[in-house]
Amino acid sequence: MSQSTVPRPGPPRESGDPPKAPAPQVRRPRTRLRRTDPRLRGGIRLRHKLRRDWPLILMTLPAVALLVVFAYVPIAGNVIAFQFYSPYAGDGFFDSMQNSAWTGLENFQRLLDDHDFWNAVQNTLLFSSLQLIFYFPVPIALALLINSILHSKVRAWAQAVLYLPHFFSWVLVITVFQQLFGGAGLVAQLLRDWGVTDSFDLMTDPGFFKWLITAQVMWKDAGWGIIVFLAALSTVNTELYESAAVDGAGRWRRMWHVTLPALRPVIALLLVLQVGNMLTVGGEQFLIQRTAVGPGASEVLDTYVWHKGIEGGDFSYAAAIGIVKGFFSVCLVLAANRVAHAMGEQGVYSRR
């Protein structure tokens, strides 16, 4: 048994005896931890992490290998943007790259005087801005609507119906719109039955093409965004709704003061990614409808790179366009993430 630290009373002293001085306290020496000690940092040594997480690391190795092979190794091919690259200059890509003549910044100077390139940039920014304004809020609104449905079976059915078009290819999506809004589609036939003689064909109207593209993206990919926002809504504490209801808050106030603040981090993250992806608009969607509306209304950066590089064989110029596009995409991500930090959100990465 451990001895008690409470001092025991000594023998009674006589009235003439002087008072005794208290016994000196013995201090125990302190042990200092070094800054490199993992106990002070609250961390674990690297070898312990590897021993603990080796099954997870082994599972991620194929994904990391695919990312390195198909995403990082091809970065070396951007060298051809500073060359007059010819695939017939040698045996294989790297041999041809070594034998191709260097041109410096000539391909980048061509961009400044290329009217078709600036037309593609203008169309890309227009389509991306319309999708950012009209498409981005749609998954949020649908997620709030589905989350308000009390019956679980009705909620699951609505979510499945809205998520189904995400699995459709762009060929099928454009075919559905062609059957609805084409010259021989359902809407045109109804108008002819009602005596409207004017031709109705939205699929070949260059002025309406930007709205058509936005509607196709909304119908196809809105269900994918619903899943992300529903997952964020599932983490909201239900006691907050009960407390707000007790305080007299109605449905709209509960949504404004409880639901939307819970979605703010997810909204900020997806908004940063959407802004960073503004220069990348679906190429397949535009390639299929290019002949219907013409290149002036449908040419974007992705299709312009395709036609210059793959069809035209001007690989160096197409690589230069890709480098410029990637540089400004990174700048957009950094700027949007800085705005997210100014608004108090974490964004894609957090500052320490």
Side-chain angles (χ1 to χ4, degrees):
M1 297 178 63
S2 61
Q3 297 180 355
S4 175
T5 58
V6 179
R8 296 181 179 179
R13 61 184 182 88
E14 298 181 357
S15 59
D17 296 340
K20 294 182 179 180
Q25 297 181 356
V26 180
R27 293 184 179 181
R28 301 180 62 182
R30 287 187 176 182
T31 57
R32 293 186 178 181
L33 297 177
R34 295 181 300 175
R35 292 186 177 272
T36 57
D37 198 324
R39 292 177 297 175
L40 184 62
R41 301 192 309 267
I44 307 176
R45 295 185 183 276
L46 179 60
R47 64 173 182 270
H48 296 158
K49 291 181 179 180
L50 295 177
R51 187 181 306 172
R52 181 194 62 186
D53 300 332
W54 72 266
L56 299 177
I57 298 175
L58 189 62
M59 291 173 59
T60 57
L61 284 181
V64 173
L66 290 175
L67 184 65
V68 170
V69 171
F70 293 102
Y72 288 97
V73 173
I75 293 179
N78 289 327
V79 178
I80 66 175
F82 306 92
Q83 295 178 327
F84 184 75
Y85 175 75
S86 174
Y88 309 104
D91 298 333
F93 172 75
F94 292 101
D95 192 16
S96 300
M97 185 172 61
Q98 292 178 357
N99 297 330
S100 297
W102 289 89
T103 59
L105 300 177
E106 180 180 345
N107 291 317
F108 296 93
Q109 294 175 355
R110 288 175 56 187
L111 298 176
L112 302 177
D113 301 327
D114 191 349
H115 178 269
D116 295 333
F117 168 75
W118 292 110
N119 179 60
V121 172
Q122 181 180 357
N123 290 337
T124 302
L125 294 177
L126 176 62
F127 294 138
S128 300
S129 301
L130 290 176
Q131 293 178 16
L132 186 64
I133 295 173
F134 294 99
Y135 162 70
F136 187 76
V138 171
I140 304 175
L142 292 177
L144 294 175
L145 180 62
I146 293 177
N147 190 63
S148 63
I149 300 176
L150 298 179
H151 202 285
S152 59
K153 292 185 178 180
V154 178
R155 184 188 308 175
W157 179 83
Q159 184 177 351
V161 170
L162 293 173
Y163 185 57
L164 183 62
H166 177 73
F167 296 99
F168 296 164
S169 64
W170 279 115
V171 176
L172 182 57
V173 171
I174 296 172
T175 302
V176 171
F177 274 78
Q178 178 69 34
Q179 296 299 321
L180 291 175
F181 306 109
L186 178 62
V187 177
Q189 293 180 6
L190 291 176
L191 292 177
R192 282 193 292 267
D193 294 340
W194 292 342
V196 180
T197 57
D198 295 339
S199 60
F200 179 87
D201 190 1
L202 297 181
M203 301 298 293
T204 58
D205 187 359
F208 190 78
F209 183 70
K210 54 181 177 293
W211 306 106
L212 182 67
I213 288 294
T214 305
Q216 291 172 356
V217 173
M218 291 170 59
W219 184 67
K220 184 178 187 297
D221 292 332
W224 174 258
I226 291 174
I227 296 179
V228 179
F229 291 109
L230 284 179
L233 287 174
S234 63
T235 61
V236 181
N237 191 356
T238 57
E239 295 180 357
L240 297 177
Y241 292 104
E242 297 174 359
S243 301
V246 170
D247 292 339
R251 174 171 301 191
W252 291 103
R253 285 190 173 275
R254 291 197 298 267
M255 182 187 70
W256 184 261
H257 294 286
V258 179
T259 306
L260 290 181
L263 293 178
R264 277 187 58 181
V266 181
I267 293 175
L269 174 61
L270 295 181
L271 186 60
V272 171
L273 296 178
Q274 184 76 15
V275 171
N277 207 33
M278 287 186 66
L279 299 181
T280 303
V281 189
E284 183 182 356
Q285 181 186 11
F286 292 89
L287 286 173
I288 297 174
Q289 303 176 89
R290 176 187 173 90
T291 57
V293 297
S298 63
E299 192 78 278
V300 292
L301 284 176
D302 290 340
T303 58
Y304 190 66
V305 169
W306 171 271
H307 290 296
K308 282 293 184 180
I310 305 302
E311 291 187 353
D314 197 351
F315 300 102
S316 298
Y317 187 55
I321 298 174
I323 291 177
V324 172
K325 171 188 168 185
F327 172 77
F328 283 102
S329 295
V330 172
C331 293
L332 287 174
V333 170
L334 296 178
N337 201 74
R338 190 178 184 88
V339 173
H341 288 164
M343 297 175 60
E345 301 297 336
Q346 182 176 359
V348 177
Y349 60 89
S350 60
R351 294 180 298 179
R352 295 192 180 274

